[in-house]
Amino acid sequence: MERTFLMIKPDGVQRNLVGEVVRRFETKGFTLVGLKLMKVSRELAEKHYDVHKERPFFGSLVDFITSAPVVAMVWEGDGVVAAARKIIGATNPLTAEPGTIRGDYGVSIGRNLIHGSDAIETAQREISLWFSDEELVSWEPTM
Ligand code: CMP
């Protein structure tokens, strides 16, 4: 079954949007299989954002992600990677559609509340970077 990785960034946690983000994915019908609140090490943040390491904002992005707790999650369901990108909205909250998380709650590209994996292969890499096998719970709703 397809899985994706989501991280509620320090701004999302501090603006008390954890419940709202979880609610959107739960009510859509996806299955939560991993969830933890954590302070991110520099090493993990740099690995996670490795693809952006040559970009001018890389240093400030890593500073921000390591500055305060984040909530890391894994969600499961058919087509969850692409669907999560739609639920989250465009990278820049100013151009993200209303109705998306970033479109509804954000105004700054550097404070865009949440990260979601951009492809199935990226999701696999990010899930194994952030979670051990023991931290993920495979289950199927029965009601
Ligand atoms: P995210 O989906 O976490 O992936 C990379 C992040 O880099 C992105 O969300 C933004 O928060 C951040 N980012 C992208 N472009 C810029 C930019 N021009 N200035 C600051 N941060 C940026």
Side-chain angles (χ1 to χ4, degrees), residues 1-6 25-26 28-34 73-81 84 127 136-141:
M1 178 69 86
E2 191 172 311
R3 289 179 171 179
T4 198
F5 170 75
L6 304 183
F25 284 87
E26 277 188 317
K28 176 70 177 168
F30 292 121
T31 303
L32 181 64
V33 296
M73 299 182 282
V74 177
W75 288 86
E76 187 175 89
D78 284 336
V80 69
V81 174
I127 290 167
L136 298 174
V137 180
S138 292
W139 66 287
E140 277 180 33

Side-chain angles (χ1 to χ4, degrees), residues 4-37:
T4 198
F5 170 75
L6 304 183
M7 175 203 11
I8 306 175
K9 300 181 184 184
D11 51 332
V13 174
Q14 290 175 39
R15 290 182 54 200
N16 300 313
L17 290 170
V18 173
E20 173 64 14
V21 169
V22 170
R23 185 190 68 79
R24 289 186 182 215
F25 284 87
E26 277 188 317
T27 53
K28 176 70 177 168
F30 292 121
T31 303
L32 181 64
V33 296
L35 175 78
K36 58 183 173 182
L37 175 81

